[in-house]
Amino acid sequence: MAKIQTIKNQIDLIKQIQHVTRAMKTISAVRWRTGKKILENAKTFSNSLLRLNEIVHLHYREELITPHPPRGFALIGIFSDKGLVGGFNVTLAHKMKAFMEDQEHEGNKPHLIILGTQGINQFHKNPYEVLLTHSLPVQQTPHYQDVREILYTVRSFHEQQIFSHLYIAHNQYLSVNEYRPIIQRVIPIPMQGINLPTEIQADLRLRTDILSTTPTLVERLTFEYVASQLYVFLIESFLSEQATRLKIMDAATSHSEDMIHSLQVAYQKRRQEKITQELNEVTSASQVLGTI
C-alpha cells in the first residue's frame, strides 16, 4: 500500500510543479507580446537619431571635435536578471570573452559593464576591470529613463578617458524561436552615410547659433543615439529572454504531463495488482473455510 501512496504523492507533487510552469509560461508570453510592441517604436526612434547624427556630421565635418586617440574600449553586456533561460547567458558570455581576447591581442585594453545579475555570475572570475554592474527588472520591459540613468554613468567613464570605444553585446531577437548573440559598436557612431541633394541639404541645415555650439550639439545627439541603441538592445534581450523562458516552461509542462501519465499508469497497475492480491486472499480464505 505504501508503494501506491508514494506514486500518488509523486503525481500530486508534479501537478503542483505543473501549475508553476504553466503560470511562468503565461507570464512570459504576456511580457513577450508587450515588449514586441515597444521594439518597433524604439527602432524607429533610434534610426531617426542616427540620421540626425549623420546630417550634423555631413554639414559640420570641419567644426567637429577631433576624436581622442584610441584608449581601449568598454563592452556592455546585457544579461538576464533571473535564471531558467537555458544557455541564454552562457552563450553571450562566451562571445564576449572571445571578443575581448581578440581585442587584447591587438593591444586594446578591455573594460566591462555588466547589466543583469546573471552576467555578474558569468564574469565573477574574469581578469578584466568591471566599471559598472546593474540589475535589470525582469517584470517589465526597460524604461527609457532608466537607460539614460545608466548611460550617464557610462558617459562619465568616457569623459575620464577610461575608454574611447564603446560596444554593446546582447542576444538579438530574431523570432520567438530564435535569437543570436551579437556585439555592436556604438561609440564612435558607425555612420552609414547619406547622399542628399543640395537643396535638401540646405533645408536640413541646423542653426547651431540657436540650438548650441556645434560640439555641444554633437555631444547631445551622440548621447541620445547611444541611449536609444542601448534601449533597443535591452528590449531585444528582454524579448529573447522571455521567448526562451516561454519555450522552456512549455517543454517542462509537456514533460510533466508525460510524467503524470506514466505515473498514473503505474498507479493503476499497482492498484489493480493490490486488488487482485486481496481477491486472491479472500478466495483462498473462503476455500480454507469451506473445507473445515
Side-chain angles (χ1 to χ4, degrees), residues 142-289:
H143 292 295
Y144 189 64
Q145 185 57 40
D146 296 333
V147 170
R148 289 171 60 86
E149 292 299 328
I150 294 172
L151 201 58
Y152 282 133
T153 304
V154 175
R155 183 175 67 175
S156 70
F157 295 131
H158 186 254
E159 290 172 347
Q160 295 171 38
Q161 301 188 18
I162 294 176
F163 64 87
S164 59
H165 290 62
L166 179 64
Y167 297 83
I168 302 178
H170 76 293
N171 284 308
Q172 183 183 40
Y173 176 79
L174 300 176
S175 71
V176 71
N177 294 313
E178 185 179 7
Y179 65 83
R180 65 178 178 185
I182 64 169
I183 297 175
Q184 291 184 294
R185 193 190 78 200
V186 291
I187 296 179
I189 296 176
M191 301 293 181
Q192 299 175 358
I194 55 176
N195 184 17
L196 300 176
T198 305
E199 59 275 11
I200 296 180
Q201 289 188 34
D203 292 338
L204 293 173
R205 178 80 182 182
L206 301 177
R207 297 177 177 272
T208 55
D209 57 331
I210 297 176
L211 295 174
S212 64
T213 62
T214 300
T216 302
L217 177 62
V218 171
E219 180 183 339
R220 290 175 178 174
L221 284 177
T222 299
F223 178 86
E224 294 300 336
Y225 169 72
V226 175
S228 69
Q229 280 290 91
L230 179 58
Y231 185 54
V232 168
F233 297 159
L234 279 168
I235 296 174
E236 286 193 326
S237 179
F238 180 84
L239 283 174
S240 301
E241 176 188 349
Q242 299 306 323
T244 300
R245 189 173 288 113
L246 189 156
K247 290 187 297 180
I248 291 175
M249 291 302 104
D250 183 56
T253 302
S254 299
H255 181 60
S256 65
E257 290 174 352
D258 294 339
M259 291 180 66
I260 289 174
H261 176 72
S262 299
L263 287 170
Q264 285 175 336
V265 170
Y267 175 82
Q268 294 298 333
K269 182 179 179 181
R270 292 290 298 175
R271 186 169 179 272
Q272 188 62 46
E273 289 175 352
K274 185 64 177 177
I275 293 173
T276 302
Q277 181 183 353
E278 291 175 351
L279 287 174
N280 288 336
E281 291 174 355
V282 171
T283 302
S284 300
S286 176
Q287 290 175 351
V288 170
L289 292 173

Side-chain angles (χ1 to χ4, degrees), residues 77 79-81 89 93 114-124:
F79 296 87
S80 70
D81 227 42
N89 297 301
I114 301 175
L115 306 183
T117 54
Q118 295 299 311
I120 300 173
N121 298 334
Q122 296 293 327
F123 287 94
H124 70 283

Side-chain angles (χ1 to χ4, degrees), residues 106 130 141 245 258:
E106 297 179 8
V130 178
T141 51
R245 189 173 288 113
D258 294 339

